[in-house]
Amino acid sequence: MNDVNIYETDELVSQYCDFQYGEDIFGVENFAKVCAQKAIGYSKCTQQGKALDIGCATGRASFELTKVFDHVDGIDYSQTFIDTALELQKNGRILYAQNREGELKSSILVDMTMYSFRDSCIKARFFQGDACNLESQFNGYDLIMATNLIDRLYEPQLFLNTIHERVTNGGILLLTSPYTWREEYTAKEFWIGGYTDENGDEILALEGLKQLLEENFDLLATEEVPFVIRETSRKFQHTISQMSVWRRR
Amino acid sequence: MNDVNIYETDELVSQYCDFQYGEDIFGVENFAKVCAQKAIGYSKCTQQGKALDIGCATGRASFELTKVFDHVDGIDYSQTFIDTALELQKNGRILYAQNREGELKSSILVDMTMYSFRDSCIKARFFQGDACNLESQFNGYDLIMATNLIDRLYEPQLFLNTIHERVTNGGILLLTSPYTWREEYTAKEFWIGGYTDENGDEILALEGLKQLLEENFDLLATEEVPFVIRETSRKFQHTISQMSVWRRR
């Protein structure tokens, strides 16, 4: 087992390690684990061969999916996130710095032997990639999950308009998002919802998703899934993500 | 009753109106109300003549204090916050824009007749002022409360080192803070805690407060008080503030 260097993990990676591997906060269960479990449940009606976790961050949901799927690809825009997932897979552990107060931090160990995917995790492969410009090799998936991704893409339509080409017939597309549209991530013209259209109707994101996806998918279910991200020992982001589950026709 | 114009309230004022007058979220009770109730409780052992709510924002806790105190001063650095408190006091109502998703907002009415301080609220006076450079007229208080203030001051020592001069003997100083120290608000050299001192000891804010206040105050109690601030209909700041209650010797 190689040495781990806490200073390799930058602020955002540490925050996501805590989000994906840290302890539950306010009684809210680990979001990546819950999403993977729900994805496994919804995909029981189809094959569970190949899965894609797009926007996988530090890989927790990808690892969870390896317990059931034969093969899991995890893709993230951030090479640092991908490096962290790969380090966990290779070294079996990582240290991250959890913010407490001001400059004070705690060093937290993630130990892969503590998880039920400790043996299956080798089935995951991780790649840096852009959800809006995905390489053609990424296709033939029985499940694609994209958690808290679409409101951070520069043009989510590029992802959503072509994603059906990568899902097998009867396969599942599982999206979650709190729809926190911000111009620094997504120009207003590309927001899926959160605006008033030319007829004066308010368009919420679920309506916008239907307009983009219903040609190729049936909407199976929606669920509200909470998550909590620690900023300090006293300050947290507490968010309710909307999960929408789509089956490829 | 004058007309109210929703466009007079800017983004931050709307967020604070929602924080101070909006509905409870995640089962967490209104923070300003809870703090005022606790302040009233802790000050029962002394006179309840004059109170100061420093960093009063849109005035909710100041109004709550008028139910018991003869006279309440509310001070905030933001003139817009003070204008909002004054408008509520004068017009009895205000409309603010609650963020939902993207550009979509709901218009929410605050109606003072719904509150138990509807008659007593005239006892409050509101002023724009700087907690680090408070005018000499603000003195002789049986209670001073400063909720979520000290980690937003440019030099909290200027406030804390002189505040005893404004409190009556036996009077109460009630502070709350999540100690979210940030250099954009407070230069690192002025942080009360959240650093390692020259002996290598970790200084948390409560320790720093003791060093500044124990010469003139006894620490009566500490409590953990949660609060929630809405950013959108799905995204919230969920924070645990530490309350510390000090009695002037």
Side-chain angles (χ1 to χ4, degrees), chain A residues 123-158:
Chain A
K123 291 194 273 176
R125 294 190 313 171
F126 293 99
F127 307 89
Q128 191 280 332
D130 176 0
C132 296
N133 186 25
L134 218 46
E135 286 173 51
S136 57
Q137 66 181 101
F138 298 110
N139 63 53
Y141 294 105
D142 303 308
L143 166 71
I144 296 183
M145 60 186 286
T147 56
N148 298 352
L149 177 74
I150 60 169
D151 58 359
R152 290 296 169 267
L153 299 178
Y154 54 87
E155 193 175 340
Q157 290 79 357
L158 291 175

Side-chain angles (χ1 to χ4, degrees), chain A residues 159-212:
Chain A
F159 170 67
L160 293 163
N161 278 331
T162 56
I163 196 67
H164 63 279
E165 299 169 3
R166 304 174 190 274
V167 185
T168 53
N169 289 339
I172 298 293
L173 171 66
L174 183 143
L175 306 175
T176 77
S177 176
Y179 311 132
T180 313
W181 308 111
R182 287 194 180 145
E183 289 184 90
E184 60 262 43
Y185 297 106
T186 314
K188 208 172 271 187
E189 61 188 298
F190 298 126
W191 291 3
I192 305 291
Y195 61 87
T196 305
D197 72 7
E198 59 280 10
N199 302 320
D201 295 325
E202 293 188 343
I203 305 296
L204 293 173
L206 188 63
E207 183 57 35
L209 286 174
K210 284 179 186 169
Q211 291 173 13
L212 291 167

